[in-house]
Amino acid sequence: MTHFFASLSFDWSVTSVADNVGRRLHESGLKPHWDLGGCCEIEEIIFICFYAAYVVAFFVLYHTTILKPMRLLSVFVHEFGHASACFMTGGSVKKIEVYENEGGVTGYTGGCRTLVIPAGYVGGAFWGGALTVNSAYVRATSHHRGRHLTFPLPFQVSLWL
């Protein structure tokens, strides 16, 4: 195996490197395995079909009013991430505003600005991960299902007022 790497000539163009590696592999008796015969069984095919349908539906429905509450909720979760970081670093949150144009602002004083500024994206990733992990456990999801359905309700009501 050592002589394989020692005998490679270094021509840095992409095609010549790929040709060289392929030729050396073939000469040394090592052949790449490109047979994907056992790749996809019925479960994988069903998953790929549902995922493709999800992607198409997402791109078709994204800018419609059907998904507007979810987009506003994601803006709120983003702003809540800023507010959480501010609170955890000793600051105080004065206001969280979510606008109809899917923008938002968190008014705060104090806190560590270095941690508060990126916390919007970190908070969104944290809550997305927490919901994903929580959805893996059937008992936990059946116990908290009512809370997940009613959690966004106060925020939607406050947007209507």
Side-chain angles (χ1 to χ4, degrees):
M1 193 72 167
T2 9
H3 79 284
F4 168 71
F5 290 110
S7 65
L8 283 177
S9 63
F10 292 102
D11 180 7
W12 293 104
S13 69
V14 174
T15 55
S16 64
V17 169
D19 290 342
N20 242 349
V21 171
R23 185 172 42 81
R24 299 290 182 186
L25 282 173
H26 184 68
E27 288 172 0
S28 65
L30 299 172
K31 296 179 183 169
H33 179 65
W34 294 106
D35 182 26
L36 299 176
C39 166
C40 300
E41 294 183 15
I42 190 69
E43 292 87 8
E44 289 89 358
I45 293 172
I46 291 172
F47 172 77
I48 291 169
C49 291
F50 276 118
Y51 191 74
Y54 164 76
V55 169
V56 168
F58 175 78
F59 281 112
V60 168
L61 298 175
Y62 184 73
H63 290 290
T64 64
T65 57
I66 295 170
L67 293 181
K68 182 85 167 184
M70 297 308 293
R71 292 193 310 265
L72 292 175
L73 180 63
S74 70
V75 172
F76 174 77
V77 169
H78 175 90
E79 298 303 328
F80 186 71
H82 293 301
S84 300
C86 177
F87 180 72
M88 287 190 290
T89 58
S92 65
V93 178
K94 302 297 181 193
K95 64 180 177 178
I96 295 178
E97 294 180 6
V98 177
Y99 303 119
E100 192 174 341
N101 67 353
E102 299 168 21
V105 66
T106 301
Y108 66 94
T109 56
C112 179
R113 193 171 166 91
T114 307
L115 296 176
V116 171
I117 291 173
Y121 297 109
V122 174
F126 171 78
W127 286 110
L131 290 174
T132 301
V133 167
N134 193 25
S135 69
Y137 302 103
V138 176
R139 185 173 181 187
T141 55
S142 63
H143 175 69
H144 296 291
R145 188 171 293 136
R147 291 186 193 154
H148 290 176
L149 292 175
T150 58
F151 175 72
L153 188 62
F155 305 112
Q156 290 178 1
V157 169
S158 67
L159 289 174
W160 293 331
L161 297 177

